[in-house]
Amino acid sequence: LSDGGKYGQAAIKAASFIRDEMYDASHQTLYRIHRGKRSDIKGFLDDHAFMIQGLLDLYETTFDIQWVEWAAKLQERQDALFLDTEHGGYFGTEANTSDILLRMKDDYDGAEPSANSIAVMNLLRLNHMLGDNKALEKAESALGHFSVKLNNQPSGMPQMLVALDHSLHPTRQIVFAAEPSSSELSKMKRQLHHRFIPGKVVLLADGGNGQAFLAKSLEFIQSVSRIDNKATAYVCEDYVCQRPTNDL
């Protein structure tokens, strides 16, 4: 995705379509199929997990806070519908579904990663973005549930191993203090993405609604501000930031 480029605009258009046409906000229900009109088939675990992943990616690209807000709401709904509160991890279907004899938990990362692997990474990212400790607990519970297979058949769960690696490293947050449309911010983002930094999350302190939303759960975000009125970067680990800089 690029700032304002055709791929970024396509991503925003796609997410907006799903929100407007395939999501019932009054009941927090995500639907699975649209062809001419929305079907009545409700989303499964994979629909929720991959949508949340896409929304978190879209926030880190556009810094539009509405996408991470919606991702957090979808995560709450996913937990209510699919979470195995006893053993950890997520079932692929809802409870009490009349045409399902046995609720299964997909754990094989094949041509497409399993919904559980994506879900664990989503929970870790939400913990790092929003300080959601309950999300961290659910991620750790899921990793514990799948630990036997991770030990015995790690090659079958590469995406879950990515999530495991993420969980074992310190929280890495790159926080930009800038106007969302700033050309300086675009340059900083490009500089950041030239480096491979696994496990990072990227946040924006915009001085407005986005920063206020993040500061509700991440107290240190309140004090993040621009230096000399220029776009400024804060590199933080475990919620402790290095000295800020606006030098690329």
Side-chain angles (χ1 to χ4, degrees):
L1 296 177
S2 57
D3 298 328
K6 63 179 182 179
Y7 298 117
Q9 292 303 312
I12 293 169
K13 185 177 180 181
S16 299
F17 177 85
I18 294 171
R19 180 195 59 200
D20 297 340
E21 301 293 335
M22 301 179 67
Y23 179 67
D24 181 350
S26 61
H27 296 93
Q28 293 189 324
T29 300
L30 180 67
Y31 289 88
R32 183 175 177 86
I33 296 172
H34 190 288
R35 187 172 185 270
K37 62 179 182 178
R38 188 186 75 197
S39 77
D40 292 329
I41 301 174
K42 296 178 182 179
F44 302 145
L45 171 63
D46 55 347
D47 299 299
H48 287 76
F50 281 98
M51 189 68 208
I52 293 165
Q53 180 191 48
L55 291 172
L56 296 179
D57 289 344
L58 189 55
Y59 167 75
E60 289 193 331
T61 301
T62 65
F63 293 127
D64 187 337
I65 200 64
Q66 67 170 315
W67 303 125
V68 76
E69 287 185 90
W70 187 23
K73 290 178 180 177
L74 278 179
Q75 185 63 57
E76 290 179 2
R77 186 62 172 164
Q78 176 183 304
D79 293 343
L81 293 174
F82 308 107
L83 181 65
D84 183 349
T85 56
E86 183 177 356
H87 300 106
Y90 292 91
F91 295 108
T93 55
E94 296 182 41
N96 303 318
T97 304
S98 59
D99 57 347
I100 300 294
L101 298 178
L102 183 65
R103 297 179 81 194
M104 302 291 290
K105 291 182 189 175
D106 180 24
D107 60 5
Y108 175 65
D109 295 323
E112 293 181 1
S114 75
N116 268 289
S117 295
I118 297 299
V120 173
M121 181 62 86
N122 290 342
L123 289 167
L124 293 169
R125 293 175 74 185
L126 285 167
N127 170 252
H128 293 178
M129 287 180 165
L130 302 178
D132 187 345
N133 289 327
K134 290 183 178 179
L136 178 59
E137 291 171 3
K138 291 165 190 166
E140 291 175 341
S141 177
L143 287 169
H145 175 73
F146 293 112
S147 62
V148 173
K149 185 164 183 179
L150 279 169
N151 276 299
N152 294 337
Q153 296 178 301
S155 61
M157 306 181 74
Q159 187 61 42
M160 186 71 78
L161 286 172
V162 172
L164 174 62
D165 181 73
H166 186 110
S167 74
L168 296 174
H169 284 85
T171 301
R172 296 187 180 101
Q173 294 147 321
I174 313 297
V175 185
F176 294 117
E179 293 285 341
S181 59
S182 164
S183 61
E184 296 170 335
L185 175 61
S186 296
K187 292 176 183 177
M188 284 191 164
K189 285 173 64 180
R190 283 195 294 271
Q191 185 77 2
L192 173 64
H193 293 313
H194 283 159
R195 299 178 64 88
F196 177 59
I197 309 174
K200 74 179 185 301
V201 296
V202 188
L203 304 170
L204 178 68
D206 60 2
N209 293 335
Q211 186 168 359
F213 177 81
L214 295 173
K216 290 177 184 177
S217 48
L218 296 177
E219 187 175 348
F220 80 95
I221 293 287
Q222 294 177 353
S223 61
V224 171
S225 60
R226 286 174 280 177
I227 297 175
D228 299 329
N229 206 33
K230 297 179 180 179
T232 304
Y234 293 72
V235 179
C236 311
E237 189 168 294
D238 283 339
Y239 308 102
V240 177
C241 300
Q242 300 176 22
R243 293 184 64 181
T245 182
N246 50 29
D247 187 312
L248 288 178

